[in-house]
Amino acid sequence: MVGTAETTAAPAAPPPGLRERKKRRTRDTLVRAALELFTERGYERTTVDDIAAAADVSQRTFFRYFASKEEAAFFVGRLAESRFVEAVRGRPPGEAPLDALRRALAESWDGIAEAVERVVPLDLHLRFYQVIESTPALLAAHLRRSAELEERIARVVAEREGLDVDTDPRPRVVVAVFGAVVRVTERIWSVGGDASLAALREATAAYLDQVEPALTGDWRTD
């Protein structure tokens, strides 16, 4: 990972066997079918039976992979989140926490896109964000998941800084600020005219540039 100290490479994991590859293909087919249906007809109007039928599997097979349609909806998002958490963990020591978060995100965009593309087309994943913003049940789940992700990242930041996250509020504060910027970016980007990853990256960088002026500057224009 960029920015980490040179270490001895870990031995490569053996390639998955035929059974595991088949399971992954079925899982990925279910995820793609779910996202396509959610974006075409809406989350609330899509049932587990609809997803299973679109993937040409039984309802029982669906539940072998996912406990609910919400879990299927956010499967790709979990991949992206894991990439980001590991990118934060791998930032070099000595970086200020907010800088580490920002650089981890900037340097993990391409890896996140590649991880997404292994499961579903990137444009489908991005279009699903628009569904999230317009669907109360999904938005509530997304906000809950975001809070859980912030807690994970705050603990990583605290560990990097040698702090106790339960007695020192600073890791949670800085991650909350960062998360709020990302949330504002998602909301504005999702209703804009350009739903591309490039537009999301540009907007995220632009809004992160405003953190310090917004927190410490004088907003009055008189």
Side-chain angles (χ1 to χ4, degrees):
M1 184 175 295
V2 176
T4 58
E6 185 177 352
T7 59
T8 302
L18 177 61
R19 180 180 176 82
E20 183 61 29
R21 293 199 302 273
K22 286 183 176 179
K23 288 173 64 177
R24 289 184 184 181
R25 282 198 296 270
T26 300
R27 179 202 65 194
D28 295 352
T29 299
L30 284 165
V31 172
R32 180 165 183 167
L35 296 191
E36 286 176 344
L37 288 170
F38 296 155
T39 56
E40 289 169 6
R41 66 172 66 169
Y43 178 76
E44 301 290 3
R45 291 190 294 274
T46 299
T47 66
V48 168
D49 284 340
D50 293 333
I51 298 168
D56 198 24
V57 300
S58 67
Q59 183 193 82
R60 183 176 179 181
T61 297
F62 175 92
F63 284 117
R64 287 198 195 109
Y65 291 87
F66 302 106
S68 64
K69 65 178 184 178
E70 179 187 304
E71 189 174 301
F74 288 103
F75 176 80
V76 178
R78 288 201 304 274
L79 295 179
E81 291 165 4
S82 295
R83 287 272 181 159
F84 177 60
V85 172
E86 289 310 307
V88 175
R89 199 186 307 277
R91 292 306 304 167
E95 275 186 341
L98 188 58
D99 289 338
L101 293 172
R102 180 168 185 171
R103 289 168 185 167
L105 181 60
E107 294 181 0
S108 61
W109 281 115
D110 291 338
I112 289 172
E114 290 170 6
V116 170
E117 287 277 8
R118 294 192 193 105
V119 182
V120 299
L122 182 60
D123 70 304
L124 176 60
H125 172 62
L126 295 174
R127 282 189 285 119
F128 180 60
Y129 269 95
Q130 297 173 318
V131 179
I132 292 173
E133 291 293 332
S134 62
T135 307
L138 282 175
L139 184 57
H142 180 52
L143 294 176
R144 183 190 73 242
R145 291 168 49 80
S146 296
E148 293 168 354
L149 177 61
E150 286 183 13
E151 180 64 16
R152 288 173 62 194
I153 297 171
R155 292 185 176 277
V156 172
V157 170
E159 182 181 351
R160 282 172 43 85
E161 300 299 316
L163 303 175
D164 182 347
V165 73
D166 294 319
T167 59
D168 191 322
R170 289 175 295 175
R172 287 192 175 108
V173 169
V174 73
V175 172
V177 170
F178 183 84
V181 174
V182 171
R183 175 72 195 117
V184 168
T185 304
E186 286 178 351
R187 186 168 64 246
I188 296 175
W189 165 82
S190 69
V191 298
D194 187 350
S196 68
L197 180 62
L200 179 58
R201 293 176 68 163
E202 183 178 347
T204 302
Y207 289 132
L208 284 170
D209 284 341
Q210 294 301 312
V211 170
E212 185 174 353
L215 294 179
T216 63
D218 184 352
W219 296 3
R220 292 174 299 179
T221 58
D222 55 345

